Amino acid sequence: MHYFQYQAGELYCEEVPLARIAQEVGTPVYVYSERTLERHVRVFDEALQSVPHLICYAVKANSNINILRRFVAWGTGFDIVSGGELFRVLRAGGSAEKVIFAGVGKTSDEIRYALDTNILFFNVESSAELELIHSIARDGGKKARISIRANPDVDPRTHPYISTGMQKHKFGVSLPEARALYRNTRGLSNVEVVGVQCHLGSQITEMGPFEEALASLRQFILELKSDDVALKYLDFGGGLGISYSTEEPPSPAVYGETVARATKDLGLTIVLEPGRVIAGNAGILLARVLLKKNQGTKKFLIVDSGMNDLIRPALYGSHHQLWPVREQAGKQLETVDVVGPVCESADFIAKDREVALLEPGELLAIMSAGAYGFSLSSNYNSRPRVAEVLVTGKTYQVIRRRETYEDLVRLEESQN
Ligand code: LLP
C-alpha cells in the first residue's frame, strides 16, 4: 500500500505532482511519501498489539536523518549496524535506549561508542565478539547488555545475497554454540544477557521460513530456561518482503499474528527490525528519459539515473515497476532495455521490459525504491549523488540536496 497514484493522467506522490518536483528539484531524484511511511509503521505496530513489543526500524534501509526524525516522532526504536548509523539516530534525536546493534564485525571504537551512549543491547555474532565486548565494557567500568544472534539454519528462500540464517552464512552462531555461549556469560561480570536474536534474511515472501525459525527459537528459549538463563527480549529481526511485481508476501497483520502466537506464553518483549516493509514502497526514483537508441534488434531507453543511484537491478537482478509520470492516453507499449549513463553493462534498470512508449524528456517513476535505494548509492563515474525529497500532503521538502561537482572533490582537496 502506498500513496503514489494517478490523478487526471498525471502521477502524484500524495497530493504533489511528480512533474512539479522534477521541474523544481531536477532529476534523478528520490521521492518519499511521509503518509506511506507513517502508515507502514502504524500497521506494523498494530500487528503486534497483543504482545509487549518494540519496533526497531532497520536504519540501513533508508537512513536519511529527516526520515529518522519522523521515526523518532512515531516512537520506533532503531536497529543499527555501524557507528555511523548510531550517530545518525542520535543526531535525529533518537534515544540510545531504543537502539540495538547487529553486525559480525563491530570495531572496538564502535563498541565503545555504543557503550558510552548506553544502547539497549548488542546483538552478538560470535564468541570472539562476546569477549571483545566484555573486555571493552570492563575497561570502561560498564555493563554491556547483550543478546546472541542465533543462526537457526533455516533457508529463507530469497535471493542468496540477502539470505543470512543458514549455517553457510557468516551471521550469528549455531544453536548449540549459542547455548554454550549463554552458559559462558556467567563468568563475564561486565555482560548482562537480556535476549536472543535471529534474522533470517530479507525480502522473504512466505510465512514458512519464519514459522520454522520461530519453532526452533521457542525450543531454544525453553532450553535456555532450563539452563537458568533468563531473557527479557526475543528479537526476531526483519525480513518481511514486499511486492515489487507479482510477489504476494504475507501482510504485516498475518506476520505479526504468527509471531505473537508463537511467542506469547514465553513472557518476552518481542523486538522486530523491519526495514524494507516500512520504507520500500514509500519511495520512488524519478528519472528522465535522455535518449532512445536501437542496436541490432535491441531498443534502449537511456535515462538519467544509473546503477550508482539504484544498484538493486545490477546487484540482485531485482525488478522495479516502471510507471510513466504522464499516463499514456493510448497506453502504447514497447519492449526496451532501460539503462543509465554509467559505463558498465550492469547499468540497467530493466531488461526486455514492456514499458509505456516514452520520448526523450519524459519522466519515468522507478517504483519501490524507498528501501536500499539511496542508502546503497555511490559516486561511481563521479556522478554527484541525487537529491531526496519528502512529500507530506500538498507540500514537499528537499531532505538531501543534490551533490555538486565541488562536493565530489571536497574531502580530497582538504587533504592538501
Ligand atoms: N536486521 C538485520 C540484522 C539485517 O541485516 C537487516 C537487513 C534487517 C534487519 C532489515 O531487513 P528487511 O526488513 O529490510 O528485510 N540491500 C538488499 C537488502 C539487504 C538487507 C540487509 N539486512 C536489497 O536491496 O534487497
Side-chain angles (χ1 to χ4, degrees), residues 56-61 79-81 102-103 123 125 149 161-162 164 171 197-199 201-204 235 237-241 244 272-278 311-312 315-316 318 371-373 375-376:
C56 290
Y57 166 69
V59 173
K60 60 178 84 70
D79 161 53
I80 61 161
V81 75
N123 283 321
E125 307 230 14
R149 178 166 178 175
Y161 292 2
I162 53 175
T164 54
F171 299 97
Q197 195 259 12
C198 167
H199 171 77
S202 198
Q203 185 54 13
I204 299 170
D235 176 350
L240 183 59
Y244 284 99
L272 293 170
E273 308 169 356
R276 188 190 313 268
V277 73
I278 305 288
I311 205 173
R312 302 195 70 259
L315 202 52
Y316 318 109
S318 60
Y372 309 109
S375 61
L376 264 170

mmCIF file of all heavy atoms in Angstrom, residues 56-61 79-81 102-103 123 125 149 161-162 164 171 197-199 201-204 235 237-241 244 272-278 311-312 315-316 318 371-373 375-376, ligand 1:
data_model
loop_
_atom_site.group_PDB
_atom_site.id
_atom_site.type_symbol
_atom_site.label_atom_id
_atom_site.label_comp_id
_atom_site.label_asym_id
_atom_site.label_seq_id
_atom_site.Cartn_x
_atom_site.Cartn_y
_atom_site.Cartn_z
ATOM 1 N N CYS A 56 12.110 -1.793 16.014
ATOM 2 C CA CYS A 56 13.377 -1.112 15.787
ATOM 3 C C CYS A 56 13.607 -1.051 14.277
ATOM 4 O O CYS A 56 14.067 -2.029 13.667
ATOM 5 C CB CYS A 56 14.521 -1.856 16.482
ATOM 6 S SG CYS A 56 14.441 -1.729 18.269
ATOM 7 N N TYR A 57 13.254 0.073 13.689
ATOM 8 C CA TYR A 57 13.406 0.268 12.242
ATOM 9 C C TYR A 57 14.872 0.032 11.837
ATOM 10 O O TYR A 57 15.796 0.556 12.472
ATOM 11 C CB TYR A 57 12.952 1.695 11.893
ATOM 12 C CG TYR A 57 13.371 2.143 10.523
ATOM 13 C CD1 TYR A 57 12.805 1.578 9.379
ATOM 14 C CD2 TYR A 57 14.341 3.126 10.354
ATOM 15 C CE1 TYR A 57 13.202 1.985 8.112
ATOM 16 C CE2 TYR A 57 14.739 3.539 9.095
ATOM 17 C CZ TYR A 57 14.166 2.966 7.977
ATOM 18 O OH TYR A 57 14.564 3.363 6.732
ATOM 19 N N ALA A 58 15.072 -0.756 10.768
ATOM 20 C CA ALA A 58 16.437 -1.048 10.293
ATOM 21 C C ALA A 58 16.959 0.147 9.496
ATOM 22 O O ALA A 58 16.559 0.382 8.356
ATOM 23 C CB ALA A 58 16.433 -2.313 9.434
ATOM 24 N N VAL A 59 17.861 0.891 10.123
ATOM 25 C CA VAL A 59 18.320 2.170 9.575
ATOM 26 C C VAL A 59 18.932 2.011 8.187
ATOM 27 O O VAL A 59 18.840 2.895 7.334
ATOM 28 C CB VAL A 59 19.314 2.824 10.563
ATOM 29 C CG1 VAL A 59 19.949 4.079 9.978
ATOM 30 C CG2 VAL A 59 18.608 3.153 11.870
ATOM 31 N N LYS A 60 19.558 0.850 7.936
ATOM 32 C CA LYS A 60 20.253 0.667 6.652
ATOM 33 C C LYS A 60 19.320 0.777 5.448
ATOM 34 O O LYS A 60 19.758 1.109 4.357
ATOM 35 C CB LYS A 60 20.978 -0.681 6.625
ATOM 36 C CG LYS A 60 20.062 -1.873 6.806
ATOM 37 C CD LYS A 60 20.831 -3.159 6.732
ATOM 38 C CE LYS A 60 21.468 -3.561 8.042
ATOM 39 N NZ LYS A 60 20.508 -3.984 9.101
ATOM 40 N N ALA A 61 18.035 0.531 5.654
ATOM 41 C CA ALA A 61 17.103 0.564 4.517
ATOM 42 C C ALA A 61 17.002 1.973 3.929
ATOM 43 O O ALA A 61 16.979 2.149 2.705
ATOM 44 C CB ALA A 61 15.727 0.067 4.956
ATOM 45 N N ASP A 79 17.367 -0.321 14.653
ATOM 46 C CA ASP A 79 18.345 -1.396 14.502
ATOM 47 C C ASP A 79 19.500 -0.822 13.688
ATOM 48 O O ASP A 79 19.283 -0.340 12.573
ATOM 49 C CB ASP A 79 17.685 -2.568 13.763
ATOM 50 C CG ASP A 79 18.701 -3.514 13.154
ATOM 51 O OD1 ASP A 79 19.587 -3.967 13.897
ATOM 52 O OD2 ASP A 79 18.617 -3.793 11.938
ATOM 53 N N ILE A 80 20.702 -0.858 14.249
ATOM 54 C CA ILE A 80 21.855 -0.273 13.564
ATOM 55 C C ILE A 80 22.909 -1.344 13.296
ATOM 56 O O ILE A 80 22.920 -2.411 13.918
ATOM 57 C CB ILE A 80 22.491 0.872 14.383
ATOM 58 C CG1 ILE A 80 23.001 0.351 15.742
ATOM 59 C CG2 ILE A 80 21.508 2.019 14.584
ATOM 60 C CD1 ILE A 80 24.009 1.252 16.403
ATOM 61 N N VAL A 81 23.809 -0.998 12.387
ATOM 62 C CA VAL A 81 24.869 -1.944 12.038
ATOM 63 C C VAL A 81 26.232 -1.260 11.969
ATOM 64 O O VAL A 81 27.204 -1.860 11.528
ATOM 65 C CB VAL A 81 24.478 -2.679 10.726
ATOM 66 C CG1 VAL A 81 24.647 -1.792 9.508
ATOM 67 C CG2 VAL A 81 25.208 -3.983 10.565
ATOM 68 N N ALA A 102 23.576 -4.727 15.560
ATOM 69 C CA ALA A 102 23.949 -6.022 14.976
ATOM 70 C C ALA A 102 25.217 -5.868 14.136
ATOM 71 O O ALA A 102 25.713 -4.757 13.947
ATOM 72 C CB ALA A 102 22.817 -6.537 14.100
ATOM 73 N N GLY A 103 25.721 -6.973 13.610
ATOM 74 C CA GLY A 103 26.859 -6.912 12.689
ATOM 75 C C GLY A 103 27.990 -7.812 13.126
ATOM 76 O O GLY A 103 28.313 -7.865 14.315
ATOM 77 N N ASN A 123 23.590 -7.156 19.542
ATOM 78 C CA ASN A 123 23.340 -8.497 19.030
ATOM 79 C C ASN A 123 24.694 -9.104 18.691
ATOM 80 O O ASN A 123 25.334 -8.706 17.724
ATOM 81 C CB ASN A 123 22.407 -8.451 17.817
ATOM 82 C CG ASN A 123 20.968 -8.244 18.255
ATOM 83 O OD1 ASN A 123 20.552 -8.809 19.270
ATOM 84 N ND2 ASN A 123 20.235 -7.432 17.536
ATOM 85 N N GLU A 125 27.509 -11.709 17.550
ATOM 86 C CA GLU A 125 27.518 -12.653 16.422
ATOM 87 C C GLU A 125 28.627 -13.703 16.483
ATOM 88 O O GLU A 125 28.769 -14.505 15.566
ATOM 89 C CB GLU A 125 27.606 -11.866 15.110
ATOM 90 C CG GLU A 125 26.527 -10.780 14.992
ATOM 91 C CD GLU A 125 25.751 -10.799 13.689
ATOM 92 O OE1 GLU A 125 25.840 -11.795 12.960
ATOM 93 O OE2 GLU A 125 25.053 -9.805 13.431
ATOM 94 N N ARG A 149 22.954 -13.563 18.605
ATOM 95 C CA ARG A 149 22.260 -13.799 17.335
ATOM 96 C C ARG A 149 22.348 -15.275 17.001
ATOM 97 O O ARG A 149 23.430 -15.799 16.711
ATOM 98 C CB ARG A 149 22.881 -12.961 16.220
ATOM 99 C CG ARG A 149 22.228 -13.213 14.867
ATOM 100 C CD ARG A 149 22.605 -12.155 13.874
ATOM 101 N NE ARG A 149 22.036 -12.390 12.570
ATOM 102 C CZ ARG A 149 22.144 -11.559 11.550
ATOM 103 N NH1 ARG A 149 22.809 -10.418 11.709
ATOM 104 N NH2 ARG A 149 21.615 -11.836 10.384
ATOM 105 N N TYR A 161 22.126 -13.463 -1.984
ATOM 106 C CA TYR A 161 22.909 -12.366 -1.404
ATOM 107 C C TYR A 161 22.253 -11.753 -0.180
ATOM 108 O O TYR A 161 22.896 -11.014 0.562
ATOM 109 C CB TYR A 161 23.130 -11.241 -2.431
ATOM 110 C CG TYR A 161 24.027 -11.590 -3.587
ATOM 111 C CD1 TYR A 161 24.579 -12.858 -3.731
ATOM 112 C CD2 TYR A 161 24.334 -10.633 -4.548
ATOM 113 C CE1 TYR A 161 25.385 -13.163 -4.797
ATOM 114 C CE2 TYR A 161 25.152 -10.930 -5.618
ATOM 115 C CZ TYR A 161 25.673 -12.202 -5.743
ATOM 116 O OH TYR A 161 26.470 -12.487 -6.807
ATOM 117 N N ILE A 162 20.968 -12.011 0.003
ATOM 118 C CA ILE A 162 20.299 -11.413 1.159
ATOM 119 C C ILE A 162 19.700 -12.487 2.083
ATOM 120 O O ILE A 162 18.800 -12.235 2.856
ATOM 121 C CB ILE A 162 19.245 -10.354 0.723
ATOM 122 C CG1 ILE A 162 18.252 -10.927 -0.294
ATOM 123 C CG2 ILE A 162 19.921 -9.124 0.137
ATOM 124 C CD1 ILE A 162 17.124 -9.956 -0.674
ATOM 125 N N THR A 164 20.573 -14.925 5.247
ATOM 126 C CA THR A 164 21.559 -14.824 6.333
ATOM 127 C C THR A 164 21.439 -15.917 7.393
ATOM 128 O O THR A 164 22.335 -16.066 8.208
ATOM 129 C CB THR A 164 21.414 -13.461 7.060
ATOM 130 O OG1 THR A 164 20.054 -13.318 7.481
ATOM 131 C CG2 THR A 164 21.770 -12.299 6.165
ATOM 132 N N PHE A 171 26.651 -15.045 9.489
ATOM 133 C CA PHE A 171 25.897 -14.380 10.548
ATOM 134 C C PHE A 171 25.558 -15.294 11.726
ATOM 135 O O PHE A 171 25.237 -16.471 11.534
ATOM 136 C CB PHE A 171 24.596 -13.800 9.977
ATOM 137 C CG PHE A 171 24.859 -12.785 8.902
ATOM 138 C CD1 PHE A 171 24.816 -13.139 7.570
ATOM 139 C CD2 PHE A 171 25.198 -11.480 9.239
ATOM 140 C CE1 PHE A 171 25.079 -12.204 6.579
ATOM 141 C CE2 PHE A 171 25.467 -10.542 8.257
ATOM 142 C CZ PHE A 171 25.411 -10.907 6.920
ATOM 143 N N GLN A 197 18.449 -13.176 19.564
ATOM 144 C CA GLN A 197 18.065 -12.545 18.306
ATOM 145 C C GLN A 197 18.196 -13.527 17.162
ATOM 146 O O GLN A 197 19.002 -14.478 17.235
ATOM 147 C CB GLN A 197 18.959 -11.321 18.041
ATOM 148 C CG GLN A 197 18.433 -10.383 16.950
ATOM 149 C CD GLN A 197 19.118 -10.544 15.601
ATOM 150 O OE1 GLN A 197 19.833 -11.501 15.388
ATOM 151 N NE2 GLN A 197 18.885 -9.616 14.683
ATOM 152 N N CYS A 198 17.421 -13.295 16.100
ATOM 153 C CA CYS A 198 17.509 -14.120 14.901
ATOM 154 C C CYS A 198 17.029 -13.277 13.725
ATOM 155 O O CYS A 198 15.990 -12.612 13.811
ATOM 156 C CB CYS A 198 16.608 -15.347 15.109
ATOM 157 S SG CYS A 198 16.307 -16.264 13.608
ATOM 158 N N HIS A 199 17.807 -13.242 12.671
ATOM 159 C CA HIS A 199 17.378 -12.550 11.439
ATOM 160 C C HIS A 199 17.695 -13.482 10.276
ATOM 161 O O HIS A 199 18.848 -13.812 10.044
ATOM 162 C CB HIS A 199 18.110 -11.210 11.304
ATOM 163 C CG HIS A 199 17.896 -10.547 9.978
ATOM 164 N ND1 HIS A 199 16.728 -9.880 9.652
ATOM 165 C CD2 HIS A 199 18.689 -10.453 8.882
ATOM 166 C CE1 HIS A 199 16.822 -9.407 8.420
ATOM 167 N NE2 HIS A 199 17.996 -9.735 7.924
ATOM 168 N N GLY A 201 17.013 -13.229 6.898
ATOM 169 C CA GLY A 201 17.329 -12.718 5.565
ATOM 170 C C GLY A 201 16.307 -11.669 5.200
ATOM 171 O O GLY A 201 15.493 -11.268 6.047
ATOM 172 N N SER A 202 16.332 -11.247 3.949
ATOM 173 C CA SER A 202 15.493 -10.118 3.550
ATOM 174 C C SER A 202 14.628 -10.496 2.352
ATOM 175 O O SER A 202 14.932 -11.450 1.633
ATOM 176 C CB SER A 202 16.425 -8.960 3.198
ATOM 177 O OG SER A 202 15.753 -7.746 3.203
ATOM 178 N N GLN A 203 13.554 -9.712 2.146
ATOM 179 C CA GLN A 203 12.608 -9.974 1.047
ATOM 180 C C GLN A 203 12.099 -11.428 1.107
ATOM 181 O O GLN A 203 12.116 -12.164 0.130
ATOM 182 C CB GLN A 203 13.250 -9.616 -0.308
ATOM 183 C CG GLN A 203 12.355 -9.724 -1.546
ATOM 184 C CD GLN A 203 11.043 -8.920 -1.436
ATOM 185 O OE1 GLN A 203 10.891 -8.086 -0.556
ATOM 186 N NE2 GLN A 203 10.098 -9.172 -2.299
ATOM 187 N N ILE A 204 11.638 -11.801 2.300
ATOM 188 C CA ILE A 204 11.053 -13.138 2.496
ATOM 189 C C ILE A 204 9.551 -13.010 2.208
ATOM 190 O O ILE A 204 8.883 -12.144 2.781
ATOM 191 C CB ILE A 204 11.324 -13.639 3.928
ATOM 192 C CG1 ILE A 204 12.842 -13.726 4.144
ATOM 193 C CG2 ILE A 204 10.639 -14.982 4.180
ATOM 194 C CD1 ILE A 204 13.257 -13.965 5.574
ATOM 195 N N ASP A 235 14.254 -11.005 19.909
ATOM 196 C CA ASP A 235 14.379 -10.120 18.751
ATOM 197 C C ASP A 235 14.344 -11.000 17.504
ATOM 198 O O ASP A 235 15.275 -11.775 17.259
ATOM 199 C CB ASP A 235 15.703 -9.350 18.884
ATOM 200 C CG ASP A 235 15.984 -8.472 17.681
ATOM 201 O OD1 ASP A 235 15.271 -8.585 16.673
ATOM 202 O OD2 ASP A 235 16.949 -7.679 17.766
ATOM 203 N N GLY A 237 14.281 -10.029 14.349
ATOM 204 C CA GLY A 237 14.889 -9.456 13.150
ATOM 205 C C GLY A 237 13.890 -8.819 12.213
ATOM 206 O O GLY A 237 12.777 -8.439 12.593
ATOM 207 N N GLY A 238 14.323 -8.684 10.962
ATOM 208 C CA GLY A 238 13.441 -8.099 9.936
ATOM 209 C C GLY A 238 13.183 -9.144 8.880
ATOM 210 O O GLY A 238 13.122 -10.329 9.170
ATOM 211 N N GLY A 239 13.034 -8.697 7.648
ATOM 212 C CA GLY A 239 12.992 -9.648 6.548
ATOM 213 C C GLY A 239 11.681 -9.786 5.807
ATOM 214 O O GLY A 239 11.648 -10.389 4.730
ATOM 215 N N LEU A 240 10.591 -9.251 6.371
ATOM 216 C CA LEU A 240 9.312 -9.415 5.669
ATOM 217 C C LEU A 240 9.378 -8.705 4.308
ATOM 218 O O LEU A 240 9.768 -7.540 4.233
ATOM 219 C CB LEU A 240 8.170 -8.852 6.525
ATOM 220 C CG LEU A 240 6.767 -9.031 5.943
ATOM 221 C CD1 LEU A 240 6.431 -10.502 5.720
ATOM 222 C CD2 LEU A 240 5.719 -8.405 6.859
ATOM 223 N N GLY A 241 9.000 -9.437 3.265
ATOM 224 C CA GLY A 241 9.132 -8.922 1.904
ATOM 225 C C GLY A 241 8.007 -7.993 1.491
ATOM 226 O O GLY A 241 7.002 -7.832 2.201
ATOM 227 N N TYR A 244 7.250 -6.272 -5.282
ATOM 228 C CA TYR A 244 7.902 -5.463 -6.321
ATOM 229 C C TYR A 244 7.188 -5.666 -7.649
ATOM 230 O O TYR A 244 7.103 -4.765 -8.459
ATOM 231 C CB TYR A 244 9.371 -5.867 -6.477
ATOM 232 C CG TYR A 244 10.271 -5.358 -5.375
ATOM 233 C CD1 TYR A 244 10.637 -6.188 -4.320
ATOM 234 C CD2 TYR A 244 10.763 -4.060 -5.385
ATOM 235 C CE1 TYR A 244 11.467 -5.733 -3.303
ATOM 236 C CE2 TYR A 244 11.592 -3.594 -4.376
ATOM 237 C CZ TYR A 244 11.945 -4.430 -3.345
ATOM 238 O OH TYR A 244 12.765 -3.967 -2.341
ATOM 239 N N LEU A 272 11.265 -6.327 16.785
ATOM 240 C CA LEU A 272 11.334 -6.607 15.349
ATOM 241 C C LEU A 272 12.167 -5.524 14.679
ATOM 242 O O LEU A 272 12.219 -4.390 15.165
ATOM 243 C CB LEU A 272 9.931 -6.663 14.743
ATOM 244 C CG LEU A 272 9.081 -7.852 15.224
ATOM 245 C CD1 LEU A 272 7.648 -7.701 14.769
ATOM 246 C CD2 LEU A 272 9.658 -9.184 14.723
ATOM 247 N N GLU A 273 12.818 -5.896 13.582
ATOM 248 C CA GLU A 273 13.733 -4.972 12.912
ATOM 249 C C GLU A 273 13.340 -4.783 11.448
ATOM 250 O O GLU A 273 14.127 -5.076 10.543
ATOM 251 C CB GLU A 273 15.161 -5.535 12.970
ATOM 252 C CG GLU A 273 15.634 -5.932 14.358
ATOM 253 C CD GLU A 273 16.947 -6.728 14.331
ATOM 254 O OE1 GLU A 273 17.455 -7.036 13.231
ATOM 255 O OE2 GLU A 273 17.458 -7.030 15.415
ATOM 256 N N PRO A 274 12.142 -4.303 11.174
ATOM 257 C CA PRO A 274 11.727 -4.177 9.770
ATOM 258 C C PRO A 274 12.413 -2.996 9.079
ATOM 259 O O PRO A 274 12.611 -1.948 9.680
ATOM 260 C CB PRO A 274 10.217 -3.916 9.886
ATOM 261 C CG PRO A 274 10.062 -3.226 11.195
ATOM 262 C CD PRO A 274 11.110 -3.803 12.112
ATOM 263 N N GLY A 275 12.784 -3.194 7.849
ATOM 264 C CA GLY A 275 13.365 -2.111 7.057
ATOM 265 C C GLY A 275 12.563 -1.928 5.780
ATOM 266 O O GLY A 275 11.777 -1.003 5.626
ATOM 267 N N ARG A 276 12.711 -2.909 4.883
ATOM 268 C CA ARG A 276 12.082 -2.827 3.562
ATOM 269 C C ARG A 276 10.555 -2.650 3.629
ATOM 270 O O ARG A 276 9.989 -1.862 2.888
ATOM 271 C CB ARG A 276 12.398 -4.116 2.800
ATOM 272 C CG ARG A 276 11.972 -4.111 1.358
ATOM 273 C CD ARG A 276 12.103 -5.507 0.767
ATOM 274 N NE ARG A 276 13.341 -6.168 1.053
ATOM 275 C CZ ARG A 276 14.437 -6.125 0.279
ATOM 276 N NH1 ARG A 276 14.414 -5.466 -0.851
ATOM 277 N NH2 ARG A 276 15.533 -6.767 0.637
ATOM 278 N N VAL A 277 9.921 -3.402 4.540
ATOM 279 C CA VAL A 277 8.464 -3.379 4.567
ATOM 280 C C VAL A 277 7.947 -1.992 4.985
ATOM 281 O O VAL A 277 6.829 -1.604 4.659
ATOM 282 C CB VAL A 277 7.931 -4.525 5.476
ATOM 283 C CG1 VAL A 277 8.168 -4.229 6.940
ATOM 284 C CG2 VAL A 277 6.492 -4.843 5.197
ATOM 285 N N ILE A 278 8.801 -1.241 5.675
ATOM 286 C CA ILE A 278 8.404 0.115 6.075
ATOM 287 C C ILE A 278 8.705 1.111 4.947
ATOM 288 O O ILE A 278 7.865 1.933 4.573
ATOM 289 C CB ILE A 278 9.190 0.563 7.341
ATOM 290 C CG1 ILE A 278 9.022 -0.431 8.494
ATOM 291 C CG2 ILE A 278 8.809 1.988 7.749
ATOM 292 C CD1 ILE A 278 7.693 -0.454 9.173
ATOM 293 N N ILE A 311 21.290 0.477 -7.308
ATOM 294 C CA ILE A 311 22.118 -0.667 -7.729
ATOM 295 C C ILE A 311 21.362 -1.994 -7.673
ATOM 296 O O ILE A 311 21.871 -3.015 -8.123
ATOM 297 C CB ILE A 311 23.420 -0.728 -6.896
ATOM 298 C CG1 ILE A 311 24.499 -1.463 -7.695
ATOM 299 C CG2 ILE A 311 23.163 -1.295 -5.531
ATOM 300 C CD1 ILE A 311 25.862 -1.459 -7.064
ATOM 301 N N ARG A 312 20.144 -1.989 -7.154
ATOM 302 C CA ARG A 312 19.440 -3.257 -6.919
ATOM 303 C C ARG A 312 19.290 -4.130 -8.175
ATOM 304 O O ARG A 312 19.550 -5.327 -8.113
ATOM 305 C CB ARG A 312 18.078 -3.019 -6.248
ATOM 306 C CG ARG A 312 18.175 -2.280 -4.901
ATOM 307 C CD ARG A 312 16.902 -2.361 -4.084
ATOM 308 N NE ARG A 312 16.674 -3.691 -3.583
ATOM 309 C CZ ARG A 312 15.837 -4.554 -4.110
ATOM 310 N NH1 ARG A 312 15.098 -4.214 -5.139
ATOM 311 N NH2 ARG A 312 15.724 -5.752 -3.608
ATOM 312 N N LEU A 315 22.747 -5.631 -8.851
ATOM 313 C CA LEU A 315 23.280 -6.482 -7.793
ATOM 314 C C LEU A 315 22.457 -7.755 -7.572
ATOM 315 O O LEU A 315 23.014 -8.825 -7.324
ATOM 316 C CB LEU A 315 23.331 -5.653 -6.499
ATOM 317 C CG LEU A 315 24.265 -6.069 -5.387
ATOM 318 C CD1 LEU A 315 25.689 -6.268 -5.893
ATOM 319 C CD2 LEU A 315 24.260 -5.008 -4.278
ATOM 320 N N TYR A 316 21.148 -7.614 -7.642
ATOM 321 C CA TYR A 316 20.289 -8.774 -7.341
ATOM 322 C C TYR A 316 19.373 -9.157 -8.500
ATOM 323 O O TYR A 316 18.484 -10.001 -8.328
ATOM 324 C CB TYR A 316 19.381 -8.489 -6.126
ATOM 325 C CG TYR A 316 20.035 -7.784 -4.973
ATOM 326 C CD1 TYR A 316 19.720 -6.460 -4.673
ATOM 327 C CD2 TYR A 316 20.968 -8.433 -4.173
ATOM 328 C CE1 TYR A 316 20.311 -5.794 -3.603
ATOM 329 C CE2 TYR A 316 21.561 -7.783 -3.110
ATOM 330 C CZ TYR A 316 21.233 -6.470 -2.833
ATOM 331 O OH TYR A 316 21.813 -5.818 -1.788
ATOM 332 N N SER A 318 17.039 -7.403 -9.471
ATOM 333 C CA SER A 318 15.712 -7.144 -8.895
ATOM 334 C C SER A 318 14.803 -6.388 -9.859
ATOM 335 O O SER A 318 15.259 -5.656 -10.730
ATOM 336 C CB SER A 318 15.854 -6.378 -7.588
ATOM 337 O OG SER A 318 16.506 -5.171 -7.853
ATOM 338 N N ALA A 371 13.574 1.649 -0.096
ATOM 339 C CA ALA A 371 14.496 0.917 0.784
ATOM 340 C C ALA A 371 15.672 0.419 -0.046
ATOM 341 O O ALA A 371 15.479 -0.106 -1.145
ATOM 342 C CB ALA A 371 13.785 -0.273 1.428
ATOM 343 N N TYR A 372 16.874 0.570 0.479
ATOM 344 C CA TYR A 372 18.098 0.118 -0.187
ATOM 345 C C TYR A 372 18.242 0.762 -1.578
ATOM 346 O O TYR A 372 18.752 0.144 -2.508
ATOM 347 C CB TYR A 372 18.135 -1.419 -0.269
ATOM 348 C CG TYR A 372 17.878 -2.079 1.067
ATOM 349 C CD1 TYR A 372 16.691 -2.767 1.332
ATOM 350 C CD2 TYR A 372 18.811 -1.967 2.092
ATOM 351 C CE1 TYR A 372 16.452 -3.343 2.574
ATOM 352 C CE2 TYR A 372 18.577 -2.540 3.338
ATOM 353 C CZ TYR A 372 17.398 -3.220 3.567
ATOM 354 O OH TYR A 372 17.178 -3.785 4.797
ATOM 355 N N GLY A 373 17.747 1.968 -1.699
ATOM 356 C CA GLY A 373 17.902 2.738 -2.932
ATOM 357 C C GLY A 373 19.009 3.748 -2.693
ATOM 358 O O GLY A 373 20.192 3.471 -2.948
ATOM 359 N N SER A 375 20.362 4.572 0.049
ATOM 360 C CA SER A 375 21.374 4.150 1.039
ATOM 361 C C SER A 375 22.462 3.281 0.407
ATOM 362 O O SER A 375 23.556 3.159 0.955
ATOM 363 C CB SER A 375 20.720 3.442 2.236
ATOM 364 O OG SER A 375 20.034 2.285 1.838
ATOM 365 N N LEU A 376 22.198 2.690 -0.741
ATOM 366 C CA LEU A 376 23.216 1.891 -1.440
ATOM 367 C C LEU A 376 23.813 2.663 -2.614
ATOM 368 O O LEU A 376 24.484 2.071 -3.456
ATOM 369 C CB LEU A 376 22.563 0.605 -1.973
ATOM 370 C CG LEU A 376 22.664 -0.662 -1.136
ATOM 371 C CD1 LEU A 376 21.758 -1.749 -1.695
ATOM 372 C CD2 LEU A 376 24.090 -1.177 -1.111
HETATM 373 N N1 LLP B 1 18.066 -6.729 10.776
HETATM 374 C C1 LLP B 1 19.259 -7.115 10.318
HETATM 375 C C2 LLP B 1 20.229 -7.668 11.262
HETATM 376 C C3 LLP B 1 19.558 -7.009 8.955
HETATM 377 O O1 LLP B 1 20.738 -7.420 8.489
HETATM 378 C C4 LLP B 1 18.585 -6.459 8.067
HETATM 379 C C5 LLP B 1 18.875 -6.310 6.638
HETATM 380 C C6 LLP B 1 17.353 -6.034 8.611
HETATM 381 C C7 LLP B 1 17.128 -6.195 9.971
HETATM 382 C C8 LLP B 1 16.263 -5.443 7.767
HETATM 383 O O2 LLP B 1 15.772 -6.365 6.868
HETATM 384 P P1 LLP B 1 14.485 -6.012 5.977
HETATM 385 O O3 LLP B 1 13.302 -5.897 6.907
HETATM 386 O O4 LLP B 1 14.744 -4.732 5.286
HETATM 387 O O5 LLP B 1 14.370 -7.141 5.038
HETATM 388 N N2 LLP B 1 20.353 -4.463 0.018
HETATM 389 C C9 LLP B 1 19.424 -5.566 -0.030
HETATM 390 C C10 LLP B 1 18.867 -5.880 1.343
HETATM 391 C C11 LLP B 1 19.931 -6.137 2.367
HETATM 392 C C12 LLP B 1 19.366 -6.439 3.740
HETATM 393 C C13 LLP B 1 20.433 -6.391 4.772
HETATM 394 N N3 LLP B 1 19.983 -6.627 6.106
HETATM 395 C C14 LLP B 1 18.329 -5.239 -1.040
HETATM 396 O O6 LLP B 1 18.352 -4.166 -1.636
HETATM 397 O O7 LLP B 1 17.451 -6.079 -1.273
#
